Amino acid sequence: LGYDAGPNDRILLHAPWSDGNTYVDIGNSSSARFSGALTWSTLAVGTFSRAGNQGYVFKNGAQILSASSLSGGVTSSQNIWIGSASGNYPLRGRIAEIVFFPSGLNSTERQVLENSQGSYFALFGTPNVWSNPNNWSESISGPTGDPAPTAADTVYFDSNGTASCVVDVSANAASVSMAAGYIGTLALGTNTLTVAGNADLRSGGTFTGTSGGLVLSATSTLSPPAATSIPNVTIIGGVVTLSVNDLSVAHDVNISGGNVSANGRNIRLAGNWTNSVGNSGFAAGSGAVIFSAVGGSTQTLNGDTTYNNLTASGSLARTLQFTAGSTQTVNGAFALSGAAGQLLSLRSSVTGSPWYVIPNGTRTCSYLNVEDGTNNVGPTINPLGYSRDNGNNVQWFGTDRYWSP
């Protein structure tokens, strides 16, 4: 598919040549060509574009081919050919549908086309990364080309720009809002998004990331998504209050400054809990902190924390590790359980050094393997099921004696 206003002014997608590559021309010179080991099936649903000296091929929103240092821009066209500009090389294949557009597509239009699963190819803007100004507008449905957001800007994701956003830098915003019409993914990867104000994530979009995540730096409200998780959540200042939904975190929660007010909401995490502030760093309210890692993993509880309910359970063996010398105070339910033959192990970060728990409320413990644990509030905790006393425990696994003359 291509057009040609002269010998070399073209937008062409060549069938694979003898070298196995698919060649894409976007420009009016031989240096406007780039290639990759693509097949027609690879490009069954996709788009290709040229922006300055950069060329891109996308499939379902994901970049699969790129090139730089291209030269020779596209000008205008009077004729359109399917096959080749000269007519000497007719198309050998099937086309379900071809759509021509008078201008580049915005991210919403492109996403609709790609989701339709037809054979659509169109010119559009540039990769969907946070740092690219061509992805940002200062108004709803307004023209793009505005600078990427800074710490002074409020950021909106809504139905006017539904493509996924790759956070390719350490990003900042004054506040963030995700509306119900946003269907993309905020891909954090190893980067962070630091927000100084409210983060309203309850209605739209999803999140992915490895070590990257959301950083909250000042007094604000966090409204988490209802059915999906955030990769990592870090609090560095202010009082952050949970609102509307429970908070689900795919990896770690880190309270390095300020305070988290759970406000009756539950926090579920599959990674580590770090509270560097101490007991004042977390106001549990009536909610629970739920440690929900997969079998075979180790979750670490770093620092002193006061919980309402502290719970962990699972059908496969795994470990909760407590920082040596730290104290976990539980005023509500202290509920830890493994399964028959798949014990939940409780360990100190330094073997032989005690960790402490103050279970002021109910204790529901079963199928545990406990070592170096000190229960600071009687009576003795005797876990049900086949549990194991692995040594150096105080007020775990024993018979209490009451004076009753």
Side-chain angles (χ1 to χ4, degrees):
L1 168 65
Y3 68 69
D4 197 340
N8 295 308
D9 191 0
R10 61 208 175 199
I11 300 178
L12 297 171
L13 180 61
H14 297 275
W17 285 12
S18 59
D19 60 3
N21 285 350
T22 296
Y23 287 84
V24 181
D25 295 355
I26 310 179
N28 57 16
S29 73
S30 60
S31 59
R33 171 175 293 174
F34 61 103
S35 65
L38 307 176
T39 65
W40 287 111
S41 60
T42 300
L43 294 174
V45 181
T47 54
F48 60 94
S49 74
R50 168 79 180 276
N53 65 350
Q54 303 285 327
Y56 307 94
V57 176
F58 286 77
K59 177 187 177 185
N60 296 334
Q63 180 178 306
I64 57 175
L65 183 64
S66 66
S68 60
S69 302
L70 302 178
S71 63
V74 177
T75 56
S76 62
S77 175
Q78 296 178 345
N79 300 304
I80 297 176
W81 288 266
I82 298 175
S84 72
S86 65
N88 295 327
Y89 301 95
L91 179 69
R92 295 181 178 90
R94 297 179 180 179
I95 296 177
E97 187 174 6
I98 298 174
V99 182
F100 297 100
F101 298 91
S103 61
L105 301 181
N106 62 36
S107 59
T108 302
E109 293 166 334
R110 176 172 53 78
Q111 191 74 30
V112 170
L113 288 181
E114 293 184 353
N115 288 343
S116 70
Q117 298 302 303
S119 297
Y120 295 100
F121 297 87
L123 298 176
F124 68 106
T126 48
N128 297 325
V129 296
W130 180 283
S131 64
N132 195 326
N134 289 320
N135 295 323
W136 296 101
S137 173
E138 287 188 351
S139 60
I140 297 176
S141 299
T144 60
D146 294 299
T150 68
D153 297 318
T154 296
V155 174
Y156 296 93
F157 292 89
D158 57 25
S159 60
N160 294 287
T162 56
S164 296
C165 174
V166 177
V167 181
D168 60 325
V169 295
S170 294
N172 294 274
S175 62
V176 175
S177 175
M178 285 189 167
Y182 182 64
I183 61 174
T185 295
L186 190 63
L188 290 156
T190 60
N191 291 305
T192 56
L193 170 57
T194 299
V195 182
N198 296 336
D200 188 349
L201 315 176
R202 73 184 107 168
S203 299
T206 56
F207 299 83
T208 61
T210 52
S211 60
L214 182 67
V215 178
L216 300 169
S217 63
T219 295
S220 57
T221 297
L222 170 60
S223 301
T228 59
S229 61
I230 301 172
N232 298 279
V233 175
T234 299
I235 314 300
I236 62 175
V239 177
V240 176
T241 302
L242 298 184
S243 178
V244 182
N245 297 318
D246 293 343
L247 172 62
S248 178
V249 182
H251 302 298
D252 301 340
V253 173
N254 185 355
I255 307 171
S256 62
N259 171 279
V260 175
S261 174
N263 194 31
R265 303 294 171 181
N266 297 327
I267 299 175
R268 179 183 296 272
L269 67 155
N272 299 326
W273 172 276
T274 299
N275 182 0
S276 302
V277 177
N279 288 311
S280 64
F282 182 62
S286 59
V289 176
I290 304 163
F291 293 86
S292 59
V294 298
S297 64
T298 297
Q299 286 183 278
T300 300
L301 287 71
N302 298 301
D304 299 340
T305 301
T306 297
Y307 308 85
N308 177 47
N309 300 330
L310 188 159
T311 69
S313 62
S315 59
L316 296 176
R318 61 190 182 96
T319 299
L320 289 184
Q321 183 182 85
F322 302 85
T323 301
S326 67
T327 300
Q328 313 304 313
T329 302
V330 185
N331 291 326
F334 181 55
L336 304 179
S337 62
Q342 301 289 329
L343 304 184
L344 174 64
S345 295
L346 309 183
R347 292 290 186 267
S348 171
S349 61
V350 179
T351 301
S353 297
W355 56 272
Y356 302 91
V357 61
I358 302 176
N360 292 320
T362 60
R363 302 105 175 271
T364 305
C365 298
S366 61
Y367 297 106
L368 301 182
N369 182 330
V370 186
E371 182 179 292
D372 296 324
T374 295
N375 166 21
N376 278 342
V377 174
T380 296
I381 301 174
N382 282 292
L384 300 176
Y386 177 77
S387 295
R388 178 175 179 177
D389 180 355
N390 216 52
N392 198 31
N393 295 305
V394 177
Q395 288 202 102
W396 286 86
F397 303 98
T399 302
D400 295 316
R401 296 290 187 267
Y402 293 90
W403 175 255
S404 56

